[in-house]
Amino acid sequence: MKIVSFGELMLRLTPPGYYRFRQADSFTVTFGGAEANVAVSLANFGVNSAYVTKMPDNDIALAARDKLRSFGVDTSGIVYGGERLGIYFVERGASQRPSNVIYDRKNSAVAMAMPSDFDWDKLLDGADAFFYTGITTALCDGVADICRSACETARKKGIKVICDLNYRKKLWTLDKACTVLSDMMSCTDICIGNSADACAIFGISVPAELYEKGNDLTYDGEKYVADELKKRFDLSYVALTVRRTISANVNRFYALLTDKSGLCEFSKEYTIELVDRIGGGDAFSAGIVYSLIGKKSVKESVEFAAAAGCLKQTTEGDFAVSSVAEIEALANGKSDGRVSR
Amino acid sequence: MKIVSFGELMLRLTPPGYYRFRQADSFTVTFGGAEANVAVSLANFGVNSAYVTKMPDNDIALAARDKLRSFGVDTSGIVYGGERLGIYFVERGASQRPSNVIYDRKNSAVAMAMPSDFDWDKLLDGADAFFYTGITTALCDGVADICRSACETARKKGIKVICDLNYRKKLWTLDKACTVLSDMMSCTDICIGNSADACAIFGISVPAELYEKGNDLTYDGEKYVADELKKRFDLSYVALTVRRTISANVNRFYALLTDKSGLCEFSKEYTIELVDRIGGGDAFSAGIVYSLIGKKSVKESVEFAAAAGCLKQTTEGDFAVSSVAEIEALANGKSDGRVSR
Amino acid sequence: MKIVSFGELMLRLTPPGYYRFRQADSFTVTFGGAEANVAVSLANFGVNSAYVTKMPDNDIALAARDKLRSFGVDTSGIVYGGERLGIYFVERGASQRPSNVIYDRKNSAVAMAMPSDFDWDKLLDGADAFFYTGITTALCDGVADICRSACETARKKGIKVICDLNYRKKLWTLDKACTVLSDMMSCTDICIGNSADACAIFGISVPAELYEKGNDLTYDGEKYVADELKKRFDLSYVALTVRRTISANVNRFYALLTDKSGLCEFSKEYTIELVDRIGGGDAFSAGIVYSLIGKKSVKESVEFAAAAGCLKQTTEGDFAVSSVAEIEALANGKSDGRVSR
Amino acid sequence: MKIVSFGELMLRLTPPGYYRFRQADSFTVTFGGAEANVAVSLANFGVNSAYVTKMPDNDIALAARDKLRSFGVDTSGIVYGGERLGIYFVERGASQRPSNVIYDRKNSAVAMAMPSDFDWDKLLDGADAFFYTGITTALCDGVADICRSACETARKKGIKVICDLNYRKKLWTLDKACTVLSDMMSCTDICIGNSADACAIFGISVPAELYEKGNDLTYDGEKYVADELKKRFDLSYVALTVRRTISANVNRFYALLTDKSGLCEFSKEYTIELVDRIGGGDAFSAGIVYSLIGKKSVKESVEFAAAAGCLKQTTEGDFAVSSVAEIEALANGKSDGRVSR
Amino acid sequence: MKIVSFGELMLRLTPPGYYRFRQADSFTVTFGGAEANVAVSLANFGVNSAYVTKMPDNDIALAARDKLRSFGVDTSGIVYGGERLGIYFVERGASQRPSNVIYDRKNSAVAMAMPSDFDWDKLLDGADAFFYTGITTALCDGVADICRSACETARKKGIKVICDLNYRKKLWTLDKACTVLSDMMSCTDICIGNSADACAIFGISVPAELYEKGNDLTYDGEKYVADELKKRFDLSYVALTVRRTISANVNRFYALLTDKSGLCEFSKEYTIELVDRIGGGDAFSAGIVYSLIGKKSVKESVEFAAAAGCLKQTTEGDFAVSSVAEIEALANGKSDGRVSR
Amino acid sequence: MKIVSFGELMLRLTPPGYYRFRQADSFTVTFGGAEANVAVSLANFGVNSAYVTKMPDNDIALAARDKLRSFGVDTSGIVYGGERLGIYFVERGASQRPSNVIYDRKNSAVAMAMPSDFDWDKLLDGADAFFYTGITTALCDGVADICRSACETARKKGIKVICDLNYRKKLWTLDKACTVLSDMMSCTDICIGNSADACAIFGISVPAELYEKGNDLTYDGEKYVADELKKRFDLSYVALTVRRTISANVNRFYALLTDKSGLCEFSKEYTIELVDRIGGGDAFSAGIVYSLIGKKSVKESVEFAAAAGCLKQTTEGDFAVSSVAEIEALANGKSDGRVSR
């Protein structure tokens, strides 16, 4: 199985422990980006996982590339050039204090990339699927065009196209997102997201009786959104994650997956004592891609993906490090965290 | 708005993580002291916050002074001299194991200070309020006298005087505290504390039916103590914090504020997954001072102060680093710790 | 009171915080081993605690020895020789992700030790009790024989023999364990363990009505196992710990102790927010040894031991660092983790 | 004495110890920038030191501001706005391996600043001197214009203007530097630099007999360059530092200062076992400014400044932390590094 | 250019800074092994570098594999199985105190490997050269046989065979080394080593007049040893490194390379302020392999290799991280360690 | 061989690396004190080494005690009580910047000790020698009296008394030191020190021709001072260390030892690249005590002691960790710091 992902890989700088930005004397150095996170998870699953981006030819960027390589991700499609690697700063929240993210990603190499930088026909050669997220299309019009051209090439080659909507309000407006992503959906097979983003972007309104309390949807409400997406954009599958933030330290997390036949399955619910929340959705996406491209059932797929998403949030950094065996153990019921010795 | 605080600034040495003193190979270096903590919070709130103390002219003490300056606290009133900066060692508890504090603060520069070290008329020039705590008056008789003289000067100048009772049993007896603090109350406008300390120091006995269970008071019980304090010492405002220790990791925390008219408001209750419990009361005090001197309503004041106290406990060190905007967001209901991105 | 413990002391390597093995750039260096952990706790309790093992004469092993000495453990009975100190790697779990242990302990100095390395008559001189665990007997037949010879010498000298069953499936099979440990029980006075291990090793089957849910026994179920052990092996005392794994971060923990007369007492139940789970059982064992050899009552003994086990799990490393006073404070009801200052 | 400095303050990220960028798992967080470094040294010397820049209103930038405040620098003239704080990455060299700097400073708040952001008349009020460097004028034409306007305002007010040439080849070409800096010199009183930069920028050619070996000038050669600068730009004083790089760990360092009367003095030569080479020239500049504005003699000034520059290089970070007393001790001959106890 | 290396990859545990083993509370985790070190350098040079070994399928070993992958080394030829990854502990020396190495590598997966684990015909497919060291042949007879079979396969395929003698007295005796390595030389083309090892292993005695002082040879003495090796074993090239230990912190380092025609060139001499001495010889070997297989001249080759060896010793860890450009800059004369900015 | 040492054990707090006090966010926690340092070295040498002091019964002090125990020092003579453990802060110098020490040791438990705290008859039972330093006698008159009484008891029991003069100008004046130490010398057998201190305290004036340059004495000058001390105080042996401070990073170090017969031997000279200079003299003292009490020759003794002093300075912390074998290797000529593997 070969999957190609395309997006922006960034330097992530994180104060240690619970230190706030203004208290930090050091930053932990990791790397991340929604699509790279997915590529890493797929490599961990044993998939031939190729990652495509553009990055400057300096040692900060090469360190990011090295890290991808350490997981076995195929980085031969990376284009070198441009001026800087995007950066994001993450301050870990606690209890009532939310985590905080400061982006410093403008004018990055990939955001300034040209269509001629990427030969999609070659890059997608032999692939089973192409993965991108809404973030990539939000970087700028140029990158959105490059991404669209990748999707079109993929479709022409019979390669499945998967998108995680991943709305970031600091990158673009809902209106702009609606225009671009509606267009992108027309060459996408599988859509991943969450109901709040999907409703906001595409103007889906859920009947009042499907709300649980506040803005939280019931299981039927979630299904309603998924069905609406499937219908509007003629998608093969829609997967939605549901996250309930108990506090900055504890989240509840589960997911649904529905296919064209109308089959809709929910995963188990996990109450997660968070280690690092970031990348949880990406690990879920990788689980969906791995399972669906691998022809697993809807039920197996959503359980595997939700367990992958859960486990990511119990480890540090954007990049998940769980194996298929570890994820299946959790998906199949071993969730007590007992020591193995 | 200008507030002057007076007290002892100490070097705080803390083993990393959950290491006990006997396991520690390094200590994290921070600084703290109830009144300095208040001064820092006030500077964060944009107040002209001046801090007065005496410290030796060596690099350990200057590092403490530098840290105050980094927050924008006005340190021009600090007097240099004496032999040592007080030290306290803090061992972080976990679950059933309590945190532990070892004081090594005797013979500190401020504890040995002379009345002639401080020209209160000048130091209080232009101030709206003067803040001290019971710790300052407990250091020794000489410092209590200096503090009393500051209060008297303040009253003469029409400056509000605010005291946080802050009883420390390792510093003095209840009897001594009663004598000294009763006297101090006579030149104090606003008293902050907790009901257990207040009852123990001033011999207030609460009717049995106002106890919830064990030694915990009901809401009415807390109000009873506040009213009693107001009455006894003719105070403009009394603010009490309530802390319920679930474990060394989790506390419940809320507060009340009552004014002369009899209006009494309670804040929301917070269940806090503690990062560093120390300084929570001081952040609350700063919130009370900021709100009341800033003419906020009793309800707004107690909510702001309780939110300030809560947020402090989700960050490392004695010194709070939350802005007015962050505190108001929590006071106004955003308490779910969801990532902002 | 003098207690002699015999077993394997290992180098323990632990990635910092929640890092997984594949993410670690450093390992925290500590040392541990069930019997050494017991010896350290006993030294902390003021007992004359001697530890016997064999270790190579190199600086890695000497560092382990130094650490034991720092607690006041008598290490004069350690034999130097052999090629390596056993190592175990511990990866800390979180939430749904279990902790993981990788052993690299084969061919350690003690596993290759010869009977002639230890002069038990001299080593046990003046002792009140001899402590070993099932791990020691699982290392290899040679070490099991050495251990048996120590027990026999002890019995001849009227010294109490105490065993913690400590089954490790990575070291031996249940069949082998049954053969060896049944034999060992014949020269053992006090047996410590947990019901699951005891049932699995010795083929004890508990009536279905004594199961709570899943594989968890009721209080009566636990008592049933303890009674069965007492009966089968003619033991003076049996102590069982009960652990319920809520998640990798939170465990419930309690214990029972029963004597020959049929008296059976349960400790309080603790819900522990874990700092380091490893060594909790050993701290419990030390509590049992200290209490029973010290002629405390069954009730006092089980409460002291459970509190010791609980507190260990709130501190880092295999080695407990709690004093008798701290443990008694918890056993007697102070469990709220409030700061002492 | 009041000095105003204007320039760019950046986040500096440094791998720990001798780690290279591609090996780093954390970066030490400090802040720096030539003019800010000078402002910090001046504050350490007890000068009323004001620093002017533009920075975004986010916590990364505020942390930089806080650090300046901790030294007592007056930051009230800082303008908040713009998108990002410039960043530079520093990899520490060793032996034959040079240190390496990666700049990521484009589009910083100050580089995008508008003339209307700064009211120089007010900012320079009461100042004795205005300090800038060639780096500021290299950021972009807009900032060069702002800087020129500051110089003109200063001259009108009778305030001395001091410039450190600080040529950075990664920021601009020699031709551009010649054009801009020649113009700037016309409103500058004191010029600081090194002979290699000065010759390259302004096309000064030194007679062959004034070369020592390779590209190193003799003392007379250095003096020749200084005189040439003085003459060309009608400067009151010219100060040049001389650095000989023995290895990445060891440098030789000394300086000359010459005035309009033709008096020219050289400092002692220091062989420095480097801790952090960056900021050495800025500490020297601060020493020159402090000494000359303070009316010290040419000899005293160059010795003080060279000692300040030397001591900076024995401490970590861009910001010097030496006091006047420490610098004078070294300038006056105590250079043996013996422990004081 | 494709090079295949075969050997043992180990976990390296190093106390931070200058801490001794008995003082260490943490170990820095890196990985190394002579042949892996060479493979990493070759990958850094842009060579298609494949590394062959056997390692257990656990996360400690996979972390080692991941690190190789991060450099772009082809790890597809690694065989998984066996029980443990070898470990070595390194304590960094200082001044008069030597560094110290404790090996714990017995019974490692590769030392217990079977001939059937490796299909050399396939593993060497398309390779230009095969690299091994004397360490591999010292592990045990079985591994020496496997290595010999690799050499024979290589020779049959017309692939150059390169050996670094790398004598380790803790692994075998000189007699055994002489027997095994003499045999290995018969299927080796290029031999790398140092004169002391070569003389000791093969019983080469150098005329007394070729000694400089003590046991140090003159340039002619070094050449004598190289010529002797070439003659005895009919080698195409012999390369020798020369190291003079000034102290644990400073070494002098240079090298010679001689070919069959009798051409013999010496590199420049480097006085190195050591960061991490380990792996210096391996970086040199990689430089020789890269240069000779790349058909560089003898002079260019020895200068490139010596510069590569020098630069390695200015960086942390076994694995070199220098690029061809960095090494050529040093080989071509830029050795002053001046900051690049 | 049993040696008893008496003095003050302190908490030592050291910023990491080259950070200055005002830059430090953490302190490395170690413990030290001249006499404890000697006791630790002696324990490392296999001597029965007992250390006597008074310390408070809190966990900071117990951590200090634990560390002594880890080396095998007999701490059974320590008296618990008093209020605080003395503290000293050490800032590591570099190049021209000297190290700096801030003492905060007043009112420590041992400084406030009473004669009745120590039963010297019992504490010295079975001892071969008693060791103290001038620091102990400088703490206050009470401690000097206690120390004198220990010396008298020792002399009565035929136990050798050894003193290291260790003048600390921050503790007392030269006059006071002269009075007290002259008196102490009357019951001392072996005096250790350096010539500068000895001359200053006892008013020894050395003929001008015995000065090398500045204040440095020639070899004959050093011998002159030693002879003078021997003569004045009728000492059996005098040992002097000589330190020449090249920079804060590099010292030259050697020593002399002379006996009653007039035999005077100098050790080799060491040029030391310092890791931690503190405790070098104490390691030397321990070497003298170990050698002389062990009846080694004057030449052997001074070489062993100087090598012990040298090696200490290549390791971190006050406490030396070198074995007899390591020291003898250096004393016998292996000083090149070559890796052992």
Side-chain angles (χ1 to χ4, degrees), chain F residues 32-80:
Chain F
E35 307 80 8
N37 300 350
V38 168
V40 163
S41 274
L42 289 171
N44 284 334
F45 298 163
V47 170
N48 179 348
S49 171
Y51 178 71
V52 178
T53 192
K54 185 172 182 182
M55 58 167 58
D57 184 19
N58 69 31
D59 276 2
I60 303 299
L62 294 182
R65 190 265 326 255
D66 291 354
K67 186 53 81 175
L68 286 185
R69 287 202 301 207
S70 78
F71 288 99
V73 172
D74 175 355
T75 60
S76 62
I78 292 178
V79 177
Y80 298 92

XYZ file of all heavy atoms in Angstrom, chain F residues 32-80:
354
model
N 29.132 19.920 50.319
C 30.572 19.968 50.495
C 30.940 20.687 51.762
O 30.086 21.187 52.520
N 32.212 20.765 51.959
C 32.797 21.322 53.171
C 34.149 20.659 53.281
O 34.261 19.451 53.035
N 35.160 21.428 53.614
C 36.530 20.933 53.509
C 36.714 19.580 54.195
O 37.280 18.651 53.618
C 37.480 21.972 54.099
N 36.228 19.455 55.404
C 36.490 18.241 56.181
C 35.668 17.080 55.645
O 36.125 15.939 55.619
C 36.171 18.493 57.662
C 36.887 19.721 58.240
C 36.198 21.038 57.876
O 35.087 20.997 57.312
O 36.776 22.104 58.143
N 34.432 17.358 55.209
C 33.614 16.301 54.619
C 34.243 15.827 53.316
O 34.238 14.629 53.004
C 32.193 16.813 54.376
N 34.803 16.764 52.566
C 35.471 16.390 51.321
C 36.628 15.420 51.604
O 36.838 14.446 50.880
C 36.019 17.627 50.613
C 34.935 18.629 50.269
O 33.748 18.317 50.390
N 35.316 19.830 49.870
N 37.369 15.714 52.662
C 38.474 14.834 53.043
C 37.924 13.467 53.457
O 38.445 12.421 53.061
C 39.294 15.477 54.176
C 40.255 14.471 54.795
C 40.048 16.690 53.641
N 36.839 13.482 54.233
C 36.254 12.217 54.701
C 35.811 11.353 53.525
O 35.981 10.129 53.537
C 35.079 12.499 55.640
N 35.239 11.996 52.514
C 34.785 11.243 51.338
C 35.970 10.637 50.597
O 35.960 9.458 50.224
C 33.963 12.153 50.400
C 33.842 11.543 49.008
C 32.588 12.411 51.009
N 37.017 11.424 50.379
C 38.195 10.883 49.692
C 38.746 9.690 50.465
O 39.100 8.665 49.878
C 39.277 11.951 49.562
O 39.069 12.727 48.409
N 38.835 9.831 51.769
C 39.391 8.737 52.578
C 38.524 7.485 52.454
O 39.050 6.370 52.348
C 39.501 9.183 54.042
C 40.606 10.231 54.291
C 40.515 10.791 55.710
C 42.001 9.629 54.045
N 37.203 7.657 52.429
C 36.327 6.495 52.255
C 36.566 5.858 50.884
O 36.620 4.631 50.758
C 34.862 6.906 52.412
N 36.742 6.704 49.875
C 37.058 6.169 48.544
C 38.357 5.367 48.547
O 38.540 4.460 47.738
C 37.208 7.305 47.524
C 35.886 7.891 47.103
O 34.862 7.205 47.152
N 35.887 9.150 46.703
N 39.270 5.745 49.443
C 40.567 5.046 49.503
C 40.458 3.752 50.307
O 41.445 3.053 50.496
C 41.626 5.937 50.160
C 41.916 7.219 49.429
C 42.565 8.278 50.063
C 41.545 7.392 48.102
C 42.831 9.458 49.399
C 41.809 8.586 47.436
C 42.455 9.620 48.092
N 39.260 3.477 50.827
C 39.077 2.242 51.575
C 39.341 2.402 53.066
O 39.305 1.435 53.826
N 39.587 3.650 53.473
C 39.815 3.923 54.889
C 38.488 3.869 55.642
O 37.449 4.198 55.088
C 40.455 5.325 55.047
C 40.489 5.766 56.496
C 41.841 5.345 54.421
N 38.497 3.468 56.885
C 37.344 3.609 57.778
C 37.264 5.080 58.139
O 37.995 5.562 58.999
C 37.554 2.726 59.019
C 36.398 2.848 60.001
O 35.562 3.738 59.872
N 36.364 1.958 60.969
N 36.400 5.788 57.441
C 36.381 7.244 57.525
C 35.102 7.717 58.211
O 34.009 7.515 57.707
C 36.471 7.819 56.105
O 36.259 9.213 56.112
N 35.282 8.325 59.379
C 34.122 8.802 60.144
C 34.056 10.322 60.078
O 35.087 10.996 60.137
C 34.231 8.342 61.588
N 32.845 10.838 59.930
C 32.682 12.285 59.845
C 31.754 12.752 60.955
O 30.677 12.187 61.157
C 32.097 12.667 58.484
C 31.866 14.144 58.337
C 32.939 15.021 58.221
C 30.585 14.672 58.322
C 32.744 16.384 58.096
C 30.371 16.040 58.185
C 31.456 16.894 58.078
O 31.260 18.236 57.962
N 32.185 13.792 61.666
C 31.419 14.313 62.792
C 30.997 15.744 62.494
O 31.819 16.562 62.070
C 32.266 14.278 64.081
C 31.498 14.874 65.246
C 32.714 12.855 64.383
N 29.723 16.027 62.691
C 29.230 17.397 62.563
C 27.910 17.467 63.312
O 27.463 16.484 63.908
C 29.054 17.793 61.088
O 28.851 19.215 61.012
C 27.835 17.112 60.461
N 27.295 18.634 63.288
C 25.921 18.756 63.773
C 25.089 19.299 62.624
O 25.546 20.202 61.901
C 25.846 19.700 64.974
C 24.451 19.767 65.594
C 24.432 20.548 66.902
C 23.025 20.556 67.509
N 22.989 21.353 68.767
N 23.912 18.781 62.430
C 23.042 19.253 61.346
C 21.596 19.174 61.788
O 21.250 18.381 62.657
C 23.240 18.390 60.092
C 22.988 16.923 60.281
S 22.868 16.017 58.704
C 24.406 16.346 57.937
N 20.733 20.013 61.193
C 19.323 19.957 61.580
C 18.683 18.655 61.099
O 19.181 18.026 60.160
C 18.700 21.159 60.882
C 19.613 21.488 59.760
C 20.985 21.067 60.185
N 17.624 18.284 61.731
C 16.912 17.062 61.372
C 15.839 17.391 60.324
O 14.651 17.236 60.571
C 16.288 16.461 62.635
C 15.616 15.130 62.347
O 15.941 14.519 61.314
O 14.765 14.721 63.158
N 16.283 17.909 59.172
C 15.319 18.116 58.093
C 15.843 17.483 56.803
O 17.007 17.083 56.739
C 14.981 19.609 57.906
C 16.129 20.425 57.359
O 16.969 19.940 56.608
N 16.188 21.679 57.752
N 14.991 17.403 55.796
C 15.344 16.603 54.620
C 16.474 17.199 53.782
O 17.145 16.478 53.040
C 14.106 16.376 53.736
C 13.289 15.198 54.227
O 13.654 14.597 55.267
O 12.283 14.856 53.577
N 16.690 18.500 53.874
C 17.826 19.096 53.163
C 19.126 18.583 53.786
O 20.056 18.168 53.083
C 17.767 20.644 53.237
C 16.443 21.182 52.668
C 18.967 21.263 52.535
C 16.192 20.857 51.226
N 19.179 18.590 55.104
C 20.379 18.120 55.787
C 20.533 16.608 55.644
O 21.638 16.100 55.433
C 20.312 18.511 57.262
N 19.415 15.893 55.726
C 19.501 14.435 55.596
C 19.999 14.046 54.210
O 20.700 13.047 54.052
C 18.144 13.792 55.899
C 17.674 13.946 57.355
C 16.344 13.241 57.569
C 18.717 13.422 58.337
N 19.664 14.835 53.212
C 20.173 14.564 51.861
C 21.697 14.666 51.846
O 22.382 13.894 51.169
C 19.557 15.533 50.853
N 22.226 15.629 52.595
C 23.683 15.782 52.697
C 24.280 14.553 53.386
O 25.296 14.000 52.938
C 24.020 17.050 53.473
N 23.638 14.146 54.449
C 24.094 12.966 55.192
C 24.041 11.728 54.291
O 24.982 10.928 54.228
C 23.180 12.790 56.416
C 23.634 11.760 57.421
C 22.998 10.377 57.209
N 21.635 10.388 56.721
C 20.576 10.120 57.467
N 20.724 9.864 58.731
N 19.355 10.096 56.917
N 22.927 11.564 53.564
C 22.777 10.425 52.645
C 23.931 10.356 51.655
O 24.422 9.284 51.318
C 21.482 10.558 51.830
C 20.230 10.390 52.671
O 20.341 10.049 53.875
O 19.131 10.608 52.130
N 24.324 11.518 51.146
C 25.386 11.537 50.130
C 26.697 11.041 50.749
O 27.417 10.242 50.143
C 25.530 12.954 49.584
C 26.478 13.096 48.427
C 26.212 12.160 47.265
C 25.096 12.671 46.368
N 24.934 11.798 45.167
N 26.990 11.494 51.951
C 28.191 10.977 52.627
C 28.110 9.458 52.769
O 29.076 8.738 52.522
C 28.330 11.601 54.026
C 28.771 13.051 54.115
C 28.960 13.441 55.574
C 30.062 13.286 53.339
N 26.933 8.986 53.183
C 26.768 7.538 53.357
C 26.984 6.792 52.045
O 27.497 5.674 52.030
C 25.351 7.225 53.869
C 25.144 7.609 55.314
C 23.998 6.859 55.958
N 22.705 7.037 55.311
C 21.539 6.921 55.941
N 21.511 6.661 57.256
N 20.409 7.064 55.299
N 26.563 7.412 50.938
C 26.695 6.718 49.653
C 28.164 6.383 49.352
O 28.454 5.413 48.668
C 26.086 7.541 48.515
O 26.950 8.578 48.133
N 29.088 7.187 49.879
C 30.516 6.913 49.679
C 31.056 5.919 50.704
O 32.212 5.531 50.642
C 31.320 8.212 49.782
C 31.130 9.136 48.622
C 30.263 10.211 48.699
C 31.814 8.917 47.437
C 30.085 11.063 47.624
C 31.651 9.770 46.357
C 30.771 10.847 46.444
N 30.203 5.576 51.657
C 30.655 4.662 52.698
C 31.235 5.372 53.906
O 31.823 4.734 54.774
N 31.088 6.700 53.986
C 31.542 7.428 55.172
C 30.671 7.018 56.360
O 29.452 6.880 56.232
C 31.449 8.955 54.944
C 31.720 9.722 56.235
C 32.409 9.386 53.837
N 31.295 6.820 57.495
C 30.570 6.481 58.724
C 29.974 7.759 59.304
O 30.697 8.646 59.748
C 31.560 5.841 59.712
C 30.947 5.563 61.079
O 29.779 5.941 61.320
O 31.649 4.982 61.920
N 28.658 7.865 59.258
C 27.987 9.096 59.710
C 27.321 8.911 61.066
O 26.523 9.752 61.487
C 26.918 9.534 58.685
O 25.956 8.474 58.574
C 27.520 9.799 57.321
N 27.677 7.832 61.747
C 26.986 7.550 63.021
C 27.332 8.578 64.095
O 26.628 8.690 65.093
C 27.321 6.138 63.496
O 28.713 6.029 63.724
N 28.405 9.350 63.888
C 28.766 10.353 64.880
C 28.113 11.709 64.652
O 28.373 12.663 65.385
N 27.281 11.810 63.630
C 26.611 13.088 63.377
C 25.535 13.340 64.436
O 24.794 12.429 64.810
C 25.984 13.110 61.965
C 27.087 13.117 60.908
C 25.056 14.309 61.794
C 26.598 13.088 59.470
N 25.500 14.573 64.917
C 24.510 14.988 65.918
C 23.409 15.761 65.209
O 23.707 16.606 64.359
C 25.184 15.901 66.965
C 24.169 16.408 67.969
C 26.329 15.153 67.643
N 22.159 15.455 65.503
C 21.039 16.136 64.841
C 20.436 17.195 65.742
O 20.168 16.940 66.915
C 19.980 15.124 64.414
C 20.551 14.144 63.420
C 21.106 12.940 63.854
C 20.627 14.458 62.065
C 21.694 12.057 62.943
C 21.205 13.585 61.160
C 21.740 12.383 61.609
O 22.324 11.538 60.715
